[in-house]
């Protein structure tokens, strides 16, 4: 069931680097619809040593099938879940974080993630969270909007987009927002003109970069000796954080506690991208505790 609605990216590479052995323990920090988890757990044959985390209610319901096999399923942000697991003294052989949104988020118009479909301005991964895209779009002042579009969307015309958004308030739907953003930008790029702005607003609503920055140090503490931590990122802002955090702790020095298993990030081959366009921007980096 799970594989049908979400195709796991870079699955072969994830399996090669995590290299699950029978009986090993697994923490999936973004378990989603269990695409990666299902395959890892087939190899370990030990669902009781699995913890699956997601902050999305729909994903948590889909993960119920693993619960009945004995896996622990946690409905929380990965930062909160990791803090709790550190406090509980847990350690794992394998950790996986496959960042960002799922295909189901993007394909469900009512979740408000997609500029290609009309829906409410929501974009929350965790439906219990207070901050929605509607607040960012309709309440934030122009300077904050400009800053956010520039930083999280790398939108070169952030000022023009922020000005247009403020001028068209209130903006109620994703289609309306996409039209306003497109109207503020020159035509002609291959990419939809609202791509960068939607990314920026989504990152802000879900505090995606803050979650990642604060969680990587916790993930290092959750590894067993010999344990592997794999992170798949989908844009340069995330990848920069992962690359830097890994470089800070891994090295050839005798006292470094971690080694990098991927000197360069692993990316998807053309045949995977043809089947799963979402894989186009995926980058996998893996670290191992010595
Ligand atoms: C790309 S999907 C994961 C798909 C999964 N690997 C699979 O194969 O089915 C990312 C998932 O991570 C969740 N997510 C993203 N950021 C999160 C965070 N900070 N804490 C918890 N879950 C998060 C999203 O709700 C989404 O379900």
């Amino acid at each position: 069931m799970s594989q049908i609605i979400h195709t796991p990216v870079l699955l072969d590479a994830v399996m090669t680097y995590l290299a699950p052995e029978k009986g090993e323990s697994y923490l999936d920090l973004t378990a989603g619809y269990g695409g990666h988890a299902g395959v890892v757990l087939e190899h370990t044959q030990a669902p009781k040593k699995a913890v699956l985390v997601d902050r999305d209610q729909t994903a948590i319901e889909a993960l119920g099938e693993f619960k009945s096999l004995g896996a622990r399923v946690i409905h929380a942000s990965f930062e909160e879940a990791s803090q709790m697991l550190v406090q509980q003294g847990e350690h794992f052989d394998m950790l996986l974080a496959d960042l960002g949104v799922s295909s189901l988020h993007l394909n469900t118009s009512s979740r408000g993630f997609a500029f290609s479909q009309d829906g409410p301005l929501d974009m929350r991964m965790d439906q219990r969270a207070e901050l929605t895209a509607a607040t960012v779009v309709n309440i934030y002042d122009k300077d904050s909007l400009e800053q956010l579009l520039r930083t999280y969307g790398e939108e070169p015309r952030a000022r023009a987009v922020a000005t247009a958004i403020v001028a068209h308030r209130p903006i109620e739907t994703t289609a309306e927002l996409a039209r306003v953003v497109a109207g503020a930008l020159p035509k002609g790029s291959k990419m939809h003109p609202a791509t960068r702005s939607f990314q920026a607003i989504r990152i802000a609503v879900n505090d995606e970069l803050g979650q990642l920055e604060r969680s990587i140090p916790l993930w290092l503490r959750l590894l067993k000796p010999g344990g592997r931590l794999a992170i798949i990122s989908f844009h340069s802002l995330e990848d920069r954080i992962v690359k830097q955090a890994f470089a800070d702790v891994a090295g050839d020095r005798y006292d470094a506690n971690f080694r990098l298993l991927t000197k360069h990030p692993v990316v998807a081959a053309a045949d995977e991208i043809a089947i799963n366009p979402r894989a186009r921007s995926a980058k996998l980096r893996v670290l191992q505790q010595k």
Side-chain angles (χ1 to χ4, degrees):
M1 179 266 307
S2 315
Q3 284 84 341
I4 296 169
I5 52 177
H6 184 95
T7 313
V9 296
L10 295 173
L11 181 60
D12 290 346
V14 166
M15 293 304 286
T16 302
Y17 282 100
L18 285 186
E21 299 274 345
K22 195 169 169 214
E24 281 195 322
S25 51
Y26 177 57
L27 169 58
D28 194 323
L29 296 147
T30 55
Y33 298 89
H36 290 102
V39 182
V40 170
L41 297 183
E42 257 170 43
H43 282 71
T44 63
Q45 298 173 14
K48 285 204 173 90
K49 293 186 182 171
V51 178
L52 310 179
V53 177
D54 206 290
R55 60 176 165 181
D56 181 298
Q57 177 63 36
T58 320
I60 290 297
E61 283 158 21
L63 294 169
E65 61 180 294
F66 294 99
K67 223 163 150 181
S68 60
L69 297 171
R72 182 173 169 196
V73 175
I74 303 179
H75 185 192
S77 73
F78 53 56
E79 182 185 8
E80 284 166 334
S82 304
Q83 279 167 345
M84 188 174 83
L85 292 165
V86 166
Q87 272 165 15
Q88 292 170 349
E90 297 281 2
H91 293 95
F92 298 87
D93 297 297
M94 297 169 285
L95 268 72
L96 173 65
D98 171 20
L99 301 171
V101 284
S102 65
S103 325
L104 205 77
H105 282 139
L106 295 171
N107 298 335
T108 309
S109 56
S110 60
R111 299 297 298 272
F113 283 98
F115 47 75
S116 52
Q117 300 172 15
D118 204 7
L121 280 176
D122 190 326
M123 299 197 200
R124 287 171 302 170
M125 289 186 201
D126 186 337
Q127 297 95 327
R128 304 165 301 185
E130 270 181 32
L131 183 62
T132 65
T135 304
V136 174
V137 167
N138 290 309
I139 308 286
Y140 278 25
D141 64 44
K142 191 161 88 180
D143 289 346
S144 309
L145 263 181
E146 178 185 346
Q147 173 74 22
L148 177 160
L149 293 165
R150 200 179 301 288
T151 313
Y152 297 155
E154 299 179 292
E155 172 55 70
R157 294 175 190 258
R159 180 132 201 98
V161 176
T163 305
I165 289 176
V166 171
H168 286 84
R169 282 171 173 174
I171 299 172
E172 312 261 338
T173 70
T174 50
E176 224 181 309
L177 177 62
R179 268 196 306 276
V180 170
V181 174
L185 296 174
K187 312 213 169 351
S189 152
K190 266 200 220 155
M191 198 167 76
H192 188 292
T195 307
R196 292 175 192 278
S197 300
F198 270 63
Q199 172 185 301
I201 296 167
R202 194 200 88 198
I203 290 177
V205 166
N206 296 290
D207 185 22
E208 291 179 38
L209 303 182
Q211 278 272 320
L212 181 62
E213 255 166 355
R214 295 186 299 270
S215 298
I216 293 177
L218 299 168
W219 298 345
L220 299 178
R221 292 173 64 186
L222 287 167
L223 280 173
K224 280 185 178 176
R228 289 82 68 199
L229 164 62
I231 306 183
I232 305 174
S233 64
F234 288 88
H235 52 78
S236 56
L237 299 167
E238 279 174 349
D239 185 55
R240 213 173 293 154
I241 293 172
V242 178
K243 183 179 173 186
Q244 188 59 54
F246 280 12
D248 286 347
V249 296
D252 295 330
R253 283 176 45 151
Y254 71 94
D255 58 350
N257 282 331
F258 300 92
R259 78 167 66 87
L260 262 185
L261 298 187
T262 47
K263 201 165 169 211
H264 301 289
V266 180
V267 296
D271 54 349
E272 179 175 355
I273 296 170
I275 301 166
N276 185 9
R278 198 176 154 268
R280 187 180 300 120
S281 42
K283 282 189 178 158
L284 168 71
R285 294 185 188 268
V286 190
L287 188 80
Q288 180 170 37
Q289 173 150 6
K290 286 182 179 166

